[in-house]
Amino acid sequence: MSAAAARWGARPHTAAEGVHYLVARSEDVLGALPVAAPDRAAAAELPPWRAAEYTAARTLLRALLRETGDDLRGGPVAARPGGRPYLPDRPDLGVSLSHSSGWVAAAVGTGRDVGVDVQAPSPVAARLLRLCCSPEDAETLTALPEHSRRREFAWLFTVQEACVKALGTGLAGRPWTVPVPLGQESGTWHHLHWTAPRATQPVPTGCAWTERRVFRQVGGGGGRGG
């Protein structure tokens, strides 16, 4: 771990061989790490609230890349037309970004596409429960106290979002159709693997990755990609 990362307690999580991700508070990232010049310049045209999450997510990604031995050294973090981030100087690496209510997450995959999603628990409408969960899980969630329902659903939904982001489809990939059993911390969906380990993350965070590279060159939304 680098000295900068050690100061703010960042510890990358290894989801699989060559797949790593980080999650942290935006204010902690921006308070401890410098913002790269390309990211600062790109954020200058954004509203202040958006600029903060934009720079925090990209700064976190750069920190993660340093920790995994792939330092960008000021190189660009670009976005495809649908919003999916990519590294023009490192086409061998898949990357993903996410942000939610003051939290940011970043993931990198060597020779793989990846998706990461962070969700600060928030109120969940009954319709959304029915849309994203099996009838049995929706019933279980409905019976839980409000704070537990919010958190349990957030864990489930991070996986659904991470999976469609790994595919590069975003909302067009219908994340609510990804089957994620309530309380499950790892699994597979089509050719994707996913993980959402509760004991190692301060806020619900899911990460998904492909077995082989299927990176699309155009289009491909990334959800809330940062």
Side-chain angles (χ1 to χ4, degrees):
M1 182 182 299
S2 69
R7 285 199 301 271
W8 56 286
R11 284 175 172 77
H13 181 81
T14 299
E17 183 179 359
V19 179
H20 311 277
Y21 66 95
L22 262 175
V23 58
R25 291 188 181 276
S26 297
E27 61 183 18
D28 293 340
V29 175
L30 297 177
L33 301 172
V35 176
D39 301 336
R40 189 180 299 279
E45 303 299 320
L46 301 174
W49 64 270
R50 176 62 178 135
E53 63 188 19
Y54 180 97
T55 53
R58 280 157 176 73
T59 299
L60 185 67
L61 174 61
R62 292 178 187 276
L64 174 60
L65 289 166
R66 286 193 295 271
E67 295 303 311
T68 57
D70 291 301
D71 194 344
L72 284 183
R73 301 186 183 280
V77 178
R80 301 192 183 280
R84 189 179 196 182
Y86 73 102
L87 307 178
D89 295 342
R90 292 298 307 271
D92 56 314
L93 298 178
V95 296
S96 183
L97 302 171
S98 182
H99 53 81
S100 174
S101 300
W103 290 91
V104 288
V108 60
T110 303
R112 307 172 188 255
D113 286 315
V114 295
V116 70
D117 192 69
V118 61
Q119 294 283 339
S122 60
V124 187
R127 179 180 176 277
L128 190 59
L129 289 180
R130 294 193 300 270
L131 179 66
C132 297
C133 306
S134 69
E136 296 78 13
D137 285 348
E139 183 177 351
T140 299
L141 284 170
T142 300
L144 291 177
E146 178 67 19
H147 71 281
S148 298
R149 183 187 313 119
R150 293 182 184 188
R151 188 166 182 85
E152 290 300 320
F153 180 79
W155 277 108
L156 182 152
F157 196 62
T158 61
V159 173
Q160 294 178 323
E161 284 275 335
C163 284
V164 296
K165 290 169 76 170
L167 294 178
T169 56
L171 288 177
R174 295 162 52 88
W176 53 89
T177 65
V178 181
V180 182
L182 188 62
Q184 189 166 322
E185 296 190 12
S186 63
T188 59
W189 179 60
H190 297 319
H191 64 283
L192 295 175
H193 297 268
W194 60 262
T195 184
R198 301 175 180 225
T200 59
Q201 302 301 336
V203 66
T205 308
C207 181
W209 61 96
T210 58
E211 284 284 4
R212 59 183 178 82
R213 200 64 183 271
V214 292
F215 210 110
R216 293 169 173 79
Q217 294 301 311
V218 294
R224 290 182 295 174

